[in-house]
Amino acid sequence: MTTATLDAPSQARPAKQKVILCEGNEAAALGVALARPDMVAVYPITPQSSLVEHVAKLIADGRMDADIVDAEGEHSVLSVLQGGALAGARTYTATCGPGLAFMFEPYFRTSGMRLPIVMTIVTRDGITPQSVWGGHQDAMTVREVGWVQVYCETVQEVLDTTVMAFKIAEHHDVMLPVNVCLDGNYLSYGTSRVELPEQAEVDAFMGVKDVNWHVALDPLRPMAVDPLTGGSGGKGPSSFVRYRKGQCRGMQNSLRVIEEVHQEWAQRFGRNFAPLVEEYRLDGADYAIMTLGSMTGAAKDAIDEARDAGKRVGLIKLKTFSPFPVEALLKSLRKVRALGVVDRSVGFRWNCGPMYQETMGALYRLARESGSILPSMSFIGGLAGADITVGHFHRVIEATEKLLTGSAPTEPVWLNEKD
Amino acid sequence: MATGIKPNMAYLEGQVSGPDKGVEHDRGILVSDTMQTSVANVWAAGDCAQAKGFFTEARVINSILPDATEQGRIAGMAMAGDPGLKKYPGGMSLNTYHFFGRHAISVGSSAVPEGAEVVTRFDEASGRYLKAIFLGGRLLGIYGVNEFFDAGVMCQLILRRVDLSAVRERFLANPMAVGRELMSKLWR
Amino acid sequence: MGRGYNTIAFDAAKCDGCGDCMTACATVKTGTDDKARSRIQIVGSESDGFELALCRQCGDPKCVTVCPAAALTKNYDTGVIEWNAAKCVDCLLCTIGCTYAGIALDAGVGHVAKCDMCYASPAGAPACVPACPHDALTYITTSRIYNEVGDWEDLFAPGLAGCQGCNTELLMRHTLRRVGPDTVLATPPGCVPGMGSVGFNGTTGTKIPVFHPLLTNTAAMLAGIKRQYKRVGREITALAIAGDGGASDVGFQSLSGAAERNEQILFMVVDNEGYMNTGMQRSSCTPYGAWTSTTPVGKGSGGMPAQGKTQDAKNLPLIMVNHRCEYVATASTAYMEDLYDKLDKAIQASKRGFAYLHVYSPCTTGWRFPTDQNMEVARKAVETNFVMLWEYTRATACTSRGRSMIRCRSRSI
Ligand SMILES: Cc1cc2nc3c(=O)[nH]c(=O)nc-3n(C[C@H](O)[C@H](O)[C@H](O)COP(=O)(O)OP(=O)(O)OC[C@H]3O[C@@H](n4cnc5c(N)ncnc54)[C@H](O)[C@@H]3O)c2cc1C
Ligand code: SF4
């Protein structure tokens, strides 16, 4: 199963779950607590700060048994966790924007060392023009570094995905770090009803922790971690190449594992999230718009209204952005004849949204199999915290509809420019 | 008093035919700079060996203890394939004597080659006698009776071909002190 | 493993030829004040400098091999070559064997005589050393460390790709021997991994867990490691052997952060005053006026010649003191006993919190001095007060052991 629809019949519900009201940052913290990490390292940054405050409070209140390291910066935050993971700890942190930029050096290395660290990115725009508001620019900027990146749509999905992220990261076929991306402002501070799974149920779901079987700094099994490799030929570069290939294989494996873990989650907890690509009212649609993260809620409302108005439009939402779920996306793309892609960040090199740029690769695959090119266009909206409203999505739908008959513009459409 | 040693070579006679030519010998067993004989895996050292001389390319029997131990060490290292092996620099006469209540020390060659200069000094009262042979600024040999100097140091001055021109007079006046001074500077 | 022995060291630069050592030796050994009969002989002159002739107690002594009477023997417990009067036949062959004038005729008695390190004396230590008024003679007892620790397992792989004459290998091997196998070692980019501590292409350079942190995150990674083992109740030492550049510049934030949090880490900085592994670039530990490849010396422009680094070195150990670490000390490989003492204290302190050890390490390649001079340069750096050896604990603050300084005097060359 590569796609799911929210109106699919849900699984048999397990024991009744406690219902609480909380913001997305707290939901993430609660998800972390349920996953029982050994070590959390924190450094505050807007709009992530309340998340680490919640984590610290959970530990202080004895509701979470983890070593918390108040590091002196994000660079050290991730470095402390690397050390912890190499010593066998399940580890967690959260950051965004400038913090993510500052930790880039160890961030790069985490995936290289195949350390299953889970890190929330409470996505933020910026760095300049200076902005503390939401946007996907931070996470998009680091998309080529070998982390698995999944984007949440709702507060409930934040909690559930945070727990699932540990299981995905630590799967022996994956062994990669995972970013759970939640939209700064909209999800971080958005408060909604959340079902809280039972700890025992989550424990059963998580299974036995085993994070450093493949690489460890442990006097009981001494090894050199990450010796120098490379050179102009021979053993050095070839071992490097095999290593890189292994990382890419882990990324590809994660597509299957993300699906399996979501399936198991649905069975145990009754909440069924599309693991890779979600279709919304795509059946019978002539064209589709594509979204990522929390904007999808408004997009779905716009789709409903457009459908009511007789437009044959549907929606494709990515949950997993990295690795890019090409096969799953192709299944959805085959159903439509035009596509509009809405990004909350900028791809400077192609003068379009990064998700659109990635999707163009999938469209090429589609063109090869169908012999014709699916007309498509890029929309950029929601930068620096701007709201992408239902109204904006109607503009998106209208412009995309025109692709069925007219030619596709090469320039992106900038939403919020004249709001 | 007697001098010289004559090794017994009789048992090596007649081993001269075919590919097993036997051990080449002259007055003693002829050896290379690493004490190797003409036969693979056979080494010789000490009184029985006839090895390179320091002052002459001809091979000589230098039947004294310091040479015997030095040659033995070299042969041993060569057998073991020791990478620290240094080639035999060549033998020279070296001796100390203690007779009639006098100490005598002789180091190096007593031959006086063309252009060499012999310096002697004798002090009747103390019975101290010194003789030194120089070629250019280099010391070739030094002899003392009741004049103590460090024979090991003198030997190095000769082997290292140290130019003593600048300190010659001081050296002759007090070979022990100046020798030690040079030792400390040159191979300390 | 062979044994190390105590020895008498001579510093020609401090000697003024007074001969007090010879008088002391003659008094003890002959009951006279006849310097000629002293076993230690100072030779030379004010103009040319003074030199030493003294038995070196060789490991493979020629005097012993040439002696036909077996009157000389090497005592492998003390290292002393002992002379047996009862066996000696006065042939003087030993004076031929010895190339150092270490055994010579004592004309007063007509036998050879040599230094026996005064082992049999009540003090059990050489009489000449304390007699020297200028500290030109030192009784070196560092062998104690070698003998004690030498038999412990060397946790580095044999052979290192270090520069000739570098003392860092000494530091690495001795530190690991001391710290032992229950250690996780971080060697951030620099000379230490350049020497192969982490190995190359899938190999390892040590027998303990070892890794390259980033140049920037050594202390942070070690903190994570140590904390997790603490959490699961396992005692390990989290050890860094880092360079001065990474520690004082780009890695300073994580170092400072870990020290402020009092993480239980032993952080050793090997200070060679620059980024030597990458080709001798300036670091903030490079001292004023020093040439480096990024602070070169040249004629400059506008009449302002380029004369090396134009700022003073950052005093990193003193900055660490201001973090109120459990322990901070500076040390030098030229003073191994002191270094060892401090290493022991640092290991203990690292069980309680952050311990910082700053070791001055002359760089033969980067400082461009002869490769056999490393210890000498390290010693001079301390003797001239160019670097200072001190330690800090919370109880004692900063203390330094008194040490006599080198006397500077001109000498004709
Ligand atoms: C009277 C005398 C005084 C000397 N005085 C001095 C001196 O003052 N200074 C100095 O430097 N040198 C002196 N020498 C010379 C010095 O002793 C020798 O040069 C030295 O001992 C040579 O050592 P070597 O091992 O080569 O031979 P050697 O000491 O002669 O040893 C040869 C060994 O081989 C053994 N051997 C012989 N044939 C066989 C065989 N077929 N099978 C098994 N073993 C065999 C012998 O028994 C002997 O043990 C003196 C020599 C003599 C004779
Ligand atoms: S003088 Fe005495 S100690 Fe020296 S070699 Fe001769 S016998 Fe041995």
Side-chain angles (χ1 to χ4, degrees), chain C residues 43-288:
Chain C
V43 291
S45 61
E46 183 74 42
S47 57
D48 264 6
F50 292 97
E51 302 286 353
L52 175 79
L54 177 68
C55 175
R56 278 126 218 271
Q57 323 291 356
C58 299
D60 181 14
K62 290 266 176 67
C63 59
V64 172
T65 51
V66 300
C67 175
L72 288 163
T73 41
K74 171 97 176 165
N75 179 330
Y76 285 96
D77 289 330
T78 60
V80 169
I81 295 162
E82 291 167 349
W83 174 71
N84 184 337
K87 288 185 177 172
C88 181
V89 296
D90 294 327
C91 68
L92 300 186
L93 270 176
C94 49
T95 69
I96 296 183
C98 178
T99 57
Y100 302 110
I103 186 161
L105 179 71
D106 177 353
V109 288
H111 300 300
V112 290
K114 68 178 292 301
C115 168
D116 63 0
M117 305 280 285
C118 298
Y119 262 118
S121 75
C128 54
V129 173
C132 176
H134 309 304
D135 284 349
L137 293 172
T138 324
Y139 187 45
I140 306 283
T141 54
T142 324
S143 60
R144 175 186 66 77
I145 296 166
Y146 179 80
N147 292 335
E148 184 194 345
V149 182
D151 288 334
W152 300 356
E153 192 179 9
D154 182 357
L155 295 168
F156 268 101
L160 282 182
C163 296
Q164 202 174 48
C166 178
N167 63 7
T168 307
E169 177 175 5
L170 172 79
L171 267 177
M172 290 156 65
R173 293 193 190 280
H174 268 267
T175 304
L176 278 204
R177 277 195 168 103
R178 192 82 194 115
V179 178
D182 283 332
T183 299
V184 175
L185 173 64
T187 59
C191 293
V192 174
M195 289 184 193
S197 61
V198 195
F200 303 102
N201 290 332
T203 62
T204 179
T206 72
K207 300 176 188 170
I208 56 165
V210 62
F211 66 108
H212 283 122
L214 299 165
L215 190 53
T216 42
N217 72 358
T218 310
M221 279 188 78
L222 278 177
I225 291 161
K226 176 70 185 185
R227 278 173 179 252
Q228 176 61 13
Y229 283 115
K230 233 179 112 180
R231 182 175 162 85
V232 298
R234 281 177 57 190
E235 180 71 48
I236 63 130
T237 302
L239 170 69
I241 305 182
D244 58 283
S248 67
D249 292 337
V250 75
F252 180 68
Q253 173 171 325
S254 75
L255 174 64
S256 173
E260 183 269 334
R261 295 191 303 272
N262 208 25
E263 303 281 2
Q264 294 170 356
I265 294 172
L266 170 46
F267 203 99
M268 175 186 275
V269 166
V270 183
D271 180 2
N272 55 15
E273 302 185 344
Y275 295 92
M276 299 316 192
N277 187 54
T278 42
M280 304 150 234
Q281 295 86 9
R282 166 208 200 275
S283 83
S284 54
C285 281
T286 303
Y288 179 87

Side-chain angles (χ1 to χ4, degrees), chain A residues 188-201:
Chain A
S188 62
Y189 306 146
T191 298
S192 66
R193 176 193 181 278
V194 168
E195 292 179 6
L196 198 59
E198 284 293 324
Q199 182 67 60
E201 296 277 338

Side-chain angles (χ1 to χ4, degrees), chain A residues 83-409:
Chain A
L86 286 164
R90 177 174 288 163
T91 52
Y92 173 82
T93 189
T95 191
C96 68
L100 181 58
F102 181 41
M103 69 162 60
F104 186 67
E105 191 189 20
Y107 182 82
F108 204 126
R109 209 177 186 215
T110 308
S111 52
M113 289 199 288
R114 308 291 297 269
L115 300 179
I117 295 172
V118 172
M119 179 168 88
T120 303
I121 302 179
V122 187
T123 59
R124 170 173 159 176
D125 218 323
I127 296 175
T128 292
Q130 187 65 252
S131 170
V132 296
W133 295 84
H136 292 160
Q137 197 68 47
D138 50 2
M140 284 296 163
T141 302
V142 297
R143 69 189 187 275
E144 207 53 277
V145 186
W147 284 59
V148 172
Q149 293 182 318
V150 292
Y151 285 73
C152 298
E153 182 185 333
T154 65
V155 173
Q156 180 72 60
E157 192 177 11
V158 167
L159 188 148
D160 293 356
T161 305
T162 302
V163 184
M164 286 190 278
F166 286 94
K167 185 147 178 164
I168 294 162
E170 294 171 15
H171 193 287
H172 283 203
D173 292 346
V174 179
M175 295 311 291
L176 286 169
V178 176
N179 285 145
V180 179
C181 302
L182 63 103
D183 286 50
N185 307 102
Y186 292 94
L187 284 180
S188 62
Y189 306 146
T191 298
S192 66
R193 176 193 181 278
V194 168
E195 292 179 6
L196 198 59
E198 284 293 324
Q199 182 67 60
E201 296 277 338
V202 174
D203 290 348
F205 165 79
M206 290 299 292
V208 180
K209 180 189 68 180
D210 181 17
V211 302
N212 68 344
W213 55 275
H214 62 310
V215 57
L217 285 168
D218 183 346
L220 295 180
R221 45 191 177 116
M223 63 175 84
V225 171
D226 207 2
L228 276 171
T229 54
S232 61
K235 195 179 169 214
S238 86
S239 70
F240 188 96
V241 169
R242 278 180 280 124
Y243 197 90
R244 273 283 183 270
K245 255 183 94 173
Q247 276 180 271
C248 288
R249 196 164 47 241
M251 283 296 267
Q252 289 307 306
N253 290 345
S254 75
L255 290 168
R256 170 178 54 84
V257 172
I258 290 168
E259 286 188 291
E260 287 169 3
V261 169
H262 277 70
Q263 245 168 41
E264 191 186 343
W265 186 264
Q267 274 156 16
R268 286 180 182 272
F269 302 101
R271 285 186 294 279
N272 196 359
F273 303 100
L276 307 175
V277 178
E278 180 185 330
E279 291 178 357
Y280 182 74
R281 301 189 76 165
L282 200 63
D283 290 330
D286 285 334
Y287 60 102
I289 64 170
M290 196 165 146
T291 59
L292 186 69
S294 67
M295 68 166 91
T296 311
K300 283 174 179 168
D301 288 348
I303 295 286
D304 287 342
E305 289 174 14
R307 279 282 185 156
D308 289 348
K311 289 183 187 288
R312 294 169 68 83
V313 62
L315 180 139
I316 300 168
K317 181 199 82 171
L318 288 198
K319 172 163 188 178
T320 301
F321 185 81
S322 184
F324 200 70
V326 185
E327 300 302 334
L329 181 59
L330 281 175
K331 282 189 182 159
S332 303
L333 292 179
R334 285 188 196 109
K335 296 182 179 173
V336 295
R337 292 189 289 116
L339 181 70
V341 180
V342 187
D343 273 280
R344 261 195 100 177
S345 59
V346 175
F348 292 102
R349 294 166 304 144
W350 282 73
N351 190 28
C352 65
M355 182 162 68
Y356 178 67
Q357 180 194 323
E358 303 280 353
T359 303
M360 283 196 289
L363 290 174
Y364 169 73
R365 291 267 302 271
L366 190 68
R368 262 203 333 200
E369 67 178 48
S370 72
S372 66
I373 291 169
L374 184 85
S376 63
M377 65 184 291
S378 170
F379 300 86
I380 296 171
L383 302 186
D387 192 5
I388 317 181
T389 61
V390 173
H392 288 111
F393 278 111
H394 280 304
R395 275 173 59 197
V396 171
I397 290 165
E398 266 166 42
T400 306
E401 188 177 21
K402 286 192 186 126
L403 296 177
L404 291 171
T405 48
S407 62

